[in-house]
Structures are given as structure tokens and as C-alpha cells.
Amino acid sequence: MLLTGTASAQSGRGDLASDTDAMITARLKHVERVLSQDERETRRWWRAWIGIQSALFAGNVGWGLITFDDTGARAEHFLNAGGSLLGGLSLLVLRPPALRAPAELAELSERTPTQRALKLEAAESLLAESADAQAFGTGWAPYTGAVVVGTAIAVPLWLKYDRKLGAAATMFGSIALTTAQVATLPTASLKERSERVRGNTMPPFADAQRKAAHSGGPHSTRMLPEQSGPVSEEDPEDRVPTAKRIRAPGSSSLTLSIVPSPGGLTLAGSW
């Protein structure tokens, strides 16, 4: 049998490029959906907790201003107002990356395959940044901060103003407020990363390409070292039963597979 490899090689190369771009596009759209969901949920959470901290600050300052006959109660209100102010400022200064991720991604073009590949790289980077921030925000650091702030307020209340009940309430309130804030923090990016590690979500392009290249199917792609002359090869690590791979003479990367099928023999080529 005489096979001419030029047209088949060009077709195979085009199919591979098309498949690669399709995998990139699919992964890009998936990451964009995750980042958009994260941005919406995080923005609602962020605004809600800034509102809560602002209300606590205003309430404590107001009660402190109208409390004239009890120095200890006045100090308790002002100290708690300081704690609420710190909480609100931390939200303003440490803005979650999820708030800006979709806007930054939207600025990148995706008209060509190369632009789509670069945009996917940026999307994966933004996803990782958001996941890292969410891991930090749900870890031990917020609770440590709550204990430090609560202690800084409770100690002078207890020692200087002899307000033991107020000191205990301040410590408990600081930890309870932080626990609620952590529990309601959206974590779509972090969940996406965790699911991907467990293999339950659409993998990144590199993983998808590697799995496709080693799937062993009749249309898989295998890069071969350059040799001269016709070669018939059966790779024990990537063997397909009932299939033989034949490389055209003088070609370093053209792979042809002849696979038995119900209608006869199927010739498949890839570059």
C-alpha cells in the first residue's frame, strides 16, 4: 500500500491546532464563569460587612457621646468603636482580589488563538490569586487578629475600669463577629482549585492536553524522534490493541493509525 503523507500531515496539524484552541477556549470560559460568580458574591459580602462595621462604629461612638455619668461605660463604647473602625479599615485596605478579577480579564483580547492562550494564562493567575486570598481569609489569621484586638480592648476595661463583664463581652463579641465574617466569605475560587486537585472539575489546558496525548485512542498524538526510513512501532507503554502505527518516510512527527472497525479498516492520521 502506498500512502502520500503531505495532505494528511497538513490536515492532522490543523486538527491538532483546532483541538488545542478548543481546549483553551473551553477552559477560559469555565474560569471566567467562576471568577464572575466570585466577584458578584464577594462584592455583596464586602459591602455588607463594611456596612456592619460602620454601623457598630457609629453606634458605639453615639452611645459614648451621650454617656456622661459612667466613665467606664463611656470608655467601653469608645474602645469598641475603635475595634469596629479597625475591622472596617481592614476590609477597605485588604480588598479581595475577586473584586477586580473579571474587569482585568475583560480588558484582554481573545480574537486569535494566541490571544486566547495568553488570556487563559492571565485567568488562571487571577483564579490562583483569589484562591490564595480566600484560603488566607478562612484560615487562622482572622481569628488571631480577633483575639489580639479583643484582648487590647478587654485588658484596660478589666484592669483600669473594673468592667469584667464588659471585657468578657468584648472578647466574645470580637471572636463571634470574626467567625461570622469568615463563615460568610465566598470561596468559589478556592473551591474550584480544591475540586481541580481532586479531579472533579475541568482541568487546565496543560493537564487536558497531557491526558489527551496519552489516551491511547486512534486519534492520539505522539511526537517521535527523527529517524530515516519507514518504521513500524508498538510502544509497550502506549500500545493500542489491534492498531499499528506507521510513520511516513522522512517525516519526524506524522503518525498514522490503522484501526479495525465494523465497516473495515479506518485510517487515522495526526501531526
Side-chain angles (χ1 to χ4, degrees), residues 17 20-21 24-25 28 108-122:
T20 299
D21 185 50
I24 289 176
T25 302
L28 175 59
L108 303 178
S109 177
E110 53 179 289
R111 290 192 299 270
T112 67
T114 300
Q115 289 175 337
R116 285 190 286 274
L118 293 174
K119 188 170 184 177
L120 175 59
E121 183 179 357

Side-chain angles (χ1 to χ4, degrees), residues 42-43 45-47 49-50 85-100 129-130 132-134 136-138 141-142 145 181 185:
T42 301
R43 191 169 298 279
W45 172 89
W46 185 70
R47 288 174 174 173
W49 279 102
I50 286 181
L85 179 62
L86 287 175
L89 288 176
S90 68
L91 290 170
L92 290 172
V93 174
L94 303 176
R95 287 172 57 94
L99 295 178
R100 56 177 170 79
E129 185 181 2
S130 294
D132 290 340
Q134 290 166 6
F136 178 82
T138 55
Q181 187 170 314
L185 175 66

Side-chain angles (χ1 to χ4, degrees), residues 201-270:
T201 187
M202 181 179 291
F205 163 68
D207 291 345
Q209 185 185 43
R210 182 167 56 252
K211 290 179 181 178
H214 291 83
S215 62
H219 204 65
S220 63
T221 303
R222 182 175 177 82
M223 296 299 182
L224 300 174
E226 184 172 0
Q227 300 179 11
S228 59
V231 175
S232 177
E233 177 187 81
E234 290 187 3
D235 189 339
E237 296 181 356
D238 194 17
R239 182 181 295 131
V240 181
T242 72
K244 288 188 177 181
R245 293 180 177 172
I246 305 171
R247 198 183 60 221
S251 172
S252 62
S253 57
L254 174 64
T255 303
L256 298 177
S257 300
I258 302 175
V259 183
S261 63
L265 295 178
T266 300
L267 177 65
S270 59

Side-chain angles (χ1 to χ4, degrees), residues 26 42 84 95 105 169 200:
T42 301
S84 298
R95 287 172 57 94
L105 203 58
N200 297 330

Side-chain angles (χ1 to χ4, degrees), residues 146-166:
V147 171
V148 170
V149 172
T151 301
I153 297 174
V155 167
L157 287 177
W158 188 310
L159 298 181
K160 183 175 182 179
Y161 298 100
D162 195 28
R163 296 185 65 85
K164 296 180 177 62
L165 183 61

